[in-house]
């Protein structure tokens, strides 16, 4: 009885978070703020730059969860490639640099409702999918390269390949659109 009370007193509880938990919360708040600014700004280039902050915050969250491989994949693929591709697409299609009146359609209440419904559906699906999932603490570390690679090559090869083809098609489409406008002059 006394040993159980000592063990409970030594382990931090909900009301006494560790430094990693506080850092996780603070980085999560910054990431959430950057994501909100990304979707609410009317300047496309600023939205892309705030997206870099949001995706970088996710990489820091992965580091805090000791999933270093996933963190570096987040930085290399999303921050390094997707955002650069997005910025190149903006530059190649000669999108407006300043405030864009076309970026706001006036449907903010509808968009907010759809976003809230999507968030509720996502939380419901994730909670339902992982309700009975248990983590094997004696097995390999979940964030390790071995486990991540085995999972990716077993279950997620086709979606990643489809995404790479989609991104390649978007880049080729942006180049074609920019070339047609130059030839018309």
């Amino acid at each position: 009885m006394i040993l159980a009370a000592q063990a409970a007193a030594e382990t931090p509880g909900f009301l006494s978070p560790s430094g990693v938990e506080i850092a996780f919360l603070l980085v999560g708040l910054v990431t959430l703020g950057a994501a909100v600014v990304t979707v609410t700004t009317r300047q496309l280039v600023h939205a892309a730059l705030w997206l870099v902050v949001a995706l970088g915050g996710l990489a820091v969250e992965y580091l805090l969860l000791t999933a270093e491989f996933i963190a570096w994949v987040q930085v290399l693929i999303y921050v390094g490639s997707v955002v650069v591709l997005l910025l190149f697409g903006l530059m190649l299609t000669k999108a407006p640099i300043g405030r864009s009146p076309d970026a706001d359609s006036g449907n903010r209440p509808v968009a907010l409702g759809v976003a809230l419904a999507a968030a509720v559906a996502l939380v419901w699906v994730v909670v339902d999918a992982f309700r009975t999932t248990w983590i094997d603490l004696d097995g390999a570390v979940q964030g390790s390269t071995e486990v991540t690679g085995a999972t990716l090559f077993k279950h997620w090869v086709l979606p990643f390949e489809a995404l790479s083809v989609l991104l390649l098609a978007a880049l080729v489409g942006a180049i074609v659109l920019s070339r047609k406008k130059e030839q018309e002059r």
Side-chain angles (χ1 to χ4, degrees):
M1 183 76 167
I2 295 173
L3 293 175
Q6 285 177 341
E10 291 174 2
T11 58
F14 179 72
L15 296 177
S16 60
S18 67
V20 173
E21 291 169 342
I22 293 171
F24 189 86
L25 179 66
L26 293 176
V27 171
L29 290 173
V30 170
T31 303
L32 179 65
V36 168
V37 173
T38 298
V39 298
T40 58
T41 187
R42 292 184 180 176
Q43 296 185 7
L44 295 176
V45 176
H46 288 181
L49 295 176
W50 279 109
L51 183 63
V52 169
V53 175
L55 294 174
L58 282 177
V60 172
E61 297 283 36
Y62 288 134
L63 282 175
L64 290 172
L65 292 172
T66 66
E68 294 88 5
F69 177 71
I70 300 296
W72 287 116
V73 167
Q74 174 80 15
V75 169
L76 292 174
I77 302 297
Y78 289 104
V79 176
S81 301
V82 172
V83 173
V84 169
L85 181 67
L86 180 67
L87 288 173
F88 277 148
L90 288 173
M91 288 186 283
L92 288 173
T93 58
K94 296 183 176 83
I97 298 297
R99 290 192 179 271
S100 176
D102 297 336
D104 190 8
S105 66
N107 291 328
R108 287 183 186 260
V110 175
L112 181 63
V114 170
L116 289 175
V120 167
L122 180 64
V123 168
W124 179 61
V125 166
V126 168
V127 167
D128 188 49
F130 294 105
R131 182 176 296 146
T132 59
T133 302
W134 297 95
I135 297 173
D136 181 20
L137 297 177
D138 295 329
V141 177
Q142 291 298 315
S144 69
T145 309
E146 177 185 355
V147 172
T148 304
T151 302
L152 286 177
F153 285 114
K154 187 175 182 183
H155 300 290
W156 296 100
V157 170
L158 186 61
F160 275 109
E161 290 301 320
L163 181 63
S164 68
V165 171
L166 178 70
L167 291 173
L168 179 64
L171 180 62
V172 170
I175 291 171
V176 168
L177 287 174
S178 68
R179 296 293 177 190
K180 284 184 180 178
K181 290 180 180 178
E182 287 177 6
Q183 291 174 356
E184 290 174 359
R185 292 181 184 176

